[in-house]
Amino acid sequence: EGLAAERDAAQAQVRILQTEVTGLAEKERVARSTLADTKARLSDTQAKSQKLEAELNERETQVQLREQKIRALDNDKLHLTQDLRAAKDRNSELIATIDQAVSQRKKLEESLATSAAELRQSQA
């Protein structure tokens, strides 16, 4: 009877240990599953991060190109403004030259008219 009690106690201990082993095996399975899910999410997150970084780099490149274009347009505007000023100055010079020529022509016409009148008087 003492052996039977020891055997029953040992069997009970074995059942307890088997239950613990089963529980630990289940915990390990859950932990492995969770780890696999976490690795998959990490991989997805890294892929999304790389995609977003590539988009950011592309946008930064576009911004830099636009800034270069703006600088080029500003430079063109500056040159056009300088050309316009020079053209206005040249135009003013040409107008002054034309005014001078018109004034000289009028003086010559008046002088010619006076000379013609004097010639007519001297011939009369």
Side-chain angles (χ1 to χ4, degrees):
E1 205 166 292
L3 287 176
E6 281 183 36
R7 185 190 52 162
D8 289 344
Q11 286 177 345
Q13 187 66 29
V14 166
R15 282 192 297 274
I16 291 171
L17 290 174
Q18 285 175 336
T19 302
E20 287 180 16
V21 167
T22 302
L24 289 174
E26 178 62 17
K27 284 182 182 181
E28 180 185 4
R29 186 195 65 75
V30 169
R32 288 184 186 276
S33 175
T34 302
L35 179 61
D37 290 346
T38 302
K39 284 182 179 179
R41 282 194 310 253
L42 176 61
S43 179
D44 288 347
T45 302
Q46 287 172 334
K48 287 177 185 176
S49 176
Q50 289 172 348
K51 181 180 176 186
L52 290 173
E53 190 170 342
E55 287 177 17
L56 177 61
N57 289 338
E58 176 63 25
R59 288 181 184 178
E60 286 175 348
T61 300
Q62 290 173 359
V63 166
Q64 289 172 352
L65 291 174
R66 286 183 185 134
E67 287 173 346
Q68 288 175 352
K69 188 173 183 178
I70 288 169
R71 282 192 296 276
L73 290 172
D74 284 344
N75 197 30
D76 289 348
K77 180 183 174 185
L78 175 65
H79 288 123
L80 289 172
T81 301
Q82 291 170 344
D83 291 349
L84 179 61
R85 277 194 208 115
K88 284 180 178 181
D89 292 345
R90 181 70 180 135
N91 192 35
S92 295
E93 291 171 5
L94 290 173
I95 289 171
T97 302
I98 290 169
D99 288 346
Q100 245 180 358
V102 167
S103 177
Q104 287 177 350
R105 188 193 79 210
K106 286 181 181 180
K107 287 178 185 176
L108 288 174
E109 286 173 348
E110 290 172 5
S111 177
L112 180 61
T114 302
S115 295
E118 289 174 355
L119 181 61
R120 280 190 296 268
Q121 280 182 348
S122 67
Q123 291 175 349

